[in-house]
Amino acid sequence: MRSATAAEALRGLIRIRPHGWLTAPLPTDPAAAADLLRQALARHDTPGVPDGPVHVLAARATAAVAAIGTPAHAVLKIHADPAAHNSEALAYALAGHSPALPLLLSVDDTSRSLLIEHIPRPTSWTRPTAPCRLIGAVAAIHAAPASLPAELAPAFDAYRLDRLTAAPPPAWLRDAQAWPDVLAHVQAAHGDSAIPLGHLDLKPEHARRRHGGGLVLVDLETLRPDITGLVDLVTLPAVLRQAGRGLPGREVLALYRAAAARHGITWTGPALRAALTAFARATGLDTLDGLADPAPSSRSLKDTPVEPTAPARALVDTAMTTLGLPGPPEHLTGRKGSDVWQAADQIIKTAVPGARGDLAHETAAYALLRDQGRHPGTRHGHGNLGRWLALPRLDGPSLWQVFAPAREGHATDTQRTHMRDAARAAFAALTELHAAGWIHGDMQAENVIITSRGPAFIDYDRARHPDLTPPATPYRGGLIHVIAPEITAQLLATGNDDHVPLTPAAEVYALGASLYWAWTGVRITDYRGDPAGAHTELYADIAAGRRRNITTDRPWSDPGLEALITTATSTSPENRQSTATV
């Protein structure tokens, strides 16, 4: 059974505290808790943080929490247990300089209270990059002790890995003999002098968002410098499922490895799986939820984040100034010099010189769409820094997001009906687009937005139309895993500089293959090797018609949706045209 929450993911490791462990519980009456919080607040003298009304957010026997001010500018937290207070204060001392954590404004040990920066905005879990942002924040916190201020580092020498490996194993372990293996793997990845910080209180509601989009994790009382960050990897799949953004264990590990590598933590796949296996043995964990499964995943990493470069940031700043928008913008995606941002109700696409894609062509495509009454219009600019294009943000989920409950195994009947209706509407919209003379050029589930007025397509940088000057570069396919077999056959038979015409029937196939992927979570092609392998090998399997079995991959039986997909992905292009009416 897959864990639904972080606590369930730690079955076997969690130890129940004995009755009466808390010797001095806090008052749970809100009025009494407010008095206690006001008394504690008076002990904090923090320049630049004004006093204000105390709004009790939680009044528990173990802790009391209040927002300070209207609007809130800080959070005050009191612990009943001195060990919990000391743990959270220690966590801030080790990692509080990380932008993935709120700022610690002050600590008062007498009242066992902490005054912390207030982060009001919840994370939007519907954003495509949300899982990567969470995993990236976790990796950043794990790496934070490596950049401790020089004056603090000596105080934490006892927690360094080279010291822990020489110390007796912790008493709470179930199998102490496995602990040296855990530390050896962690030491190899982090380095001898690293401090193995871990055990965040991971919950969807503990992920907050700063102005500008940075993800921040709150509530650090469980974070410890002796348990290692492996425990957080164990809980991440369950937390992502709880947030509605579940990913297979291997994808979680791949994203974590990539994020950790940006901070100098050099995990290999086999070493990380071995470390987790040893950690489960040492701690008594019941399951690793597929994290240590060595079988290759047929699912893809659709949300791999790439940090924007300094030139890209300079370019979007220019666009923001021209548009008169308040900043900073939120970075959504980026790859090879081409980035997408959000600011207010605008989506801004930027392309530095030499960037992937053709933003000039996309700008021309949107101009023609506007002239045809198919789009409200854009604003754009270009100069030495590169090009930018601003479009009104479409209000609605992508087709990929609509099908998320199917991939995560908890779709309701209403959601299933919505998926089927959205799929039919997407095919109808594509048929209408083709009738108007357009070839989109990059048909995939993430480029179909389901708005209240119906489906709308985005990303026209490969689009073609008789009234549109063709792109400067030849068409050589869009997203590989949804390319039609007849197109891959031409790609194999031609050179990289040869243009391969894209047909409406091939785009129908791409939408059908995208729906297969969105519904089942796996790509439609039964690849013989690694789905991330060489393009020519993937093209060969697609061209050969190597297909997975939809009756095996489907999350439930749905004759209408299956017929829609199988008709759209027929190996005969001439049989795909009636898809919208199936």
Side-chain angles (χ1 to χ4, degrees), residues 142-215:
H142 289 171
S147 55
L148 270 175
E151 64 272 16
L152 292 180
F156 298 104
D157 273 354
Y159 297 109
R160 289 171 27 157
L161 277 164
D162 53 3
R163 303 290 179 87
L164 290 178
T165 53
W172 51 267
L173 294 175
R174 287 282 176 87
D175 181 358
Q177 293 183 344
W179 192 243
D181 291 341
V182 175
L183 293 183
H185 286 300
V186 174
Q187 194 171 358
H190 286 250
D192 292 346
S193 61
I195 296 172
L197 201 62
H199 204 341
L200 289 156
D201 187 9
L202 290 174
K203 298 176 182 178
E205 61 269 25
H206 286 174
R208 313 292 291 174
R209 182 169 59 90
R210 275 201 177 92
H211 181 65
L215 188 144

Side-chain angles (χ1 to χ4, degrees), residues 26 82 129 137 139 168 203 216 229 235 253 325 349 352 474 479 483:
L26 297 177
T129 57
K203 298 176 182 178
V216 178
T235 58
L253 290 196
L325 295 174
K349 306 183 79 168
V352 300
L479 180 63
I483 299 177

Side-chain angles (χ1 to χ4, degrees), residues 323-417:
L323 297 168
L325 295 174
E330 180 181 355
H331 184 251
L332 300 180
T333 62
R335 186 184 176 194
K336 296 182 180 178
S338 180
D339 294 270
V340 181
W341 318 73
Q342 180 176 326
D345 62 349
Q346 296 287 301
I347 296 296
I348 303 174
K349 306 183 79 168
T350 60
V352 300
R356 171 182 178 270
D358 190 340
L359 194 55
H361 180 74
E362 186 168 13
T363 301
Y366 274 111
L368 180 57
L369 289 166
R370 178 203 61 208
D371 293 345
Q372 295 176 343
R374 307 180 69 87
H375 192 271
T378 67
R379 294 185 66 183
H380 54 89
H382 64 91
N384 293 334
L385 293 175
R387 289 184 173 273
W388 60 267
L389 171 67
L391 312 97
R393 181 178 66 84
L394 295 175
D395 188 13
S398 69
L399 196 59
W400 177 262
Q401 292 168 335
V402 167
F403 276 81
R407 299 189 301 276
E408 293 151 12
H410 55 68
T412 65
D413 288 343
T414 299
Q415 288 172 326
R416 294 180 184 190
T417 299

Side-chain angles (χ1 to χ4, degrees), residues 14 26 104 114 146 166 213 295 310 325 327 337 352 453 459 472 515:
I14 291 178
L26 297 177
L104 178 64
L114 303 95
L325 295 174
V352 300
R453 297 183 178 182
D459 286 1
L515 280 169

Side-chain angles (χ1 to χ4, degrees), residues 85 92 127 132 163 175 184 189 197 228 292 319 340 367 499 518-519 540:
H85 168 74
Y92 273 108
R127 294 191 180 281
C132 293
R163 303 290 179 87
D175 181 358
L197 201 62
T228 83
V340 181
H499 173 67
W519 186 35

Side-chain angles (χ1 to χ4, degrees), residues 208-435:
R208 313 292 291 174
R209 182 169 59 90
R210 275 201 177 92
H211 181 65
L215 188 144
V216 178
L217 294 172
V218 301
D219 277 8
L220 302 190
E221 63 190 74
T222 58
L223 196 62
R224 292 173 50 168
D226 61 349
I227 196 171
T228 83
L230 296 173
V231 67
D232 297 323
L233 290 183
V234 172
T235 58
L236 273 171
V239 172
L240 288 169
R241 282 197 295 273
Q242 193 177 357
R245 297 302 306 274
L247 291 174
R250 281 186 56 82
E251 293 186 14
V252 171
L253 290 196
L255 289 170
Y256 177 79
R257 285 177 54 214
R262 292 195 288 272
H263 299 283
I265 302 173
T266 55
W267 282 109
T268 65
L272 188 51
R273 292 194 297 273
L276 285 163
T277 301
F279 184 80
R281 192 167 67 250
T283 60
L285 279 173
D286 288 350
T287 177
L288 285 172
D289 199 7
L291 287 168
D293 184 0
S297 172
S298 57
R299 292 168 168 81
S300 74
L301 308 180
K302 298 182 75 70
D303 300 332
T304 302
V306 176
E307 289 297 317
T309 62
R313 289 190 180 277
L315 181 55
V316 76
D317 288 344
T318 298
M320 297 280 289
T321 300
T322 303
L323 297 168
L325 295 174
E330 180 181 355
H331 184 251
L332 300 180
T333 62
R335 186 184 176 194
K336 296 182 180 178
S338 180
D339 294 270
V340 181
W341 318 73
Q342 180 176 326
D345 62 349
Q346 296 287 301
I347 296 296
I348 303 174
K349 306 183 79 168
T350 60
V352 300
R356 171 182 178 270
D358 190 340
L359 194 55
H361 180 74
E362 186 168 13
T363 301
Y366 274 111
L368 180 57
L369 289 166
R370 178 203 61 208
D371 293 345
Q372 295 176 343
R374 307 180 69 87
H375 192 271
T378 67
R379 294 185 66 183
H380 54 89
H382 64 91
N384 293 334
L385 293 175
R387 289 184 173 273
W388 60 267
L389 171 67
L391 312 97
R393 181 178 66 84
L394 295 175
D395 188 13
S398 69
L399 196 59
W400 177 262
Q401 292 168 335
V402 167
F403 276 81
R407 299 189 301 276
E408 293 151 12
H410 55 68
T412 65
D413 288 343
T414 299
Q415 288 172 326
R416 294 180 184 190
T417 299
H418 180 49
M419 292 174 205
R420 193 182 309 112
D421 291 345
R424 292 183 186 279
F427 276 114
L430 182 59
T431 298
E432 194 275 333
L433 187 73
H434 289 159

Side-chain angles (χ1 to χ4, degrees), residues 525-549:
T525 301
D526 184 17
Y527 293 115
R528 291 169 293 178
D530 185 354
H535 289 188
T536 53
E537 295 176 2
L538 305 184
Y539 291 161
D541 284 345
I542 298 170
R546 293 183 55 84
R547 293 283 292 274
R548 296 182 62 89
N549 188 340

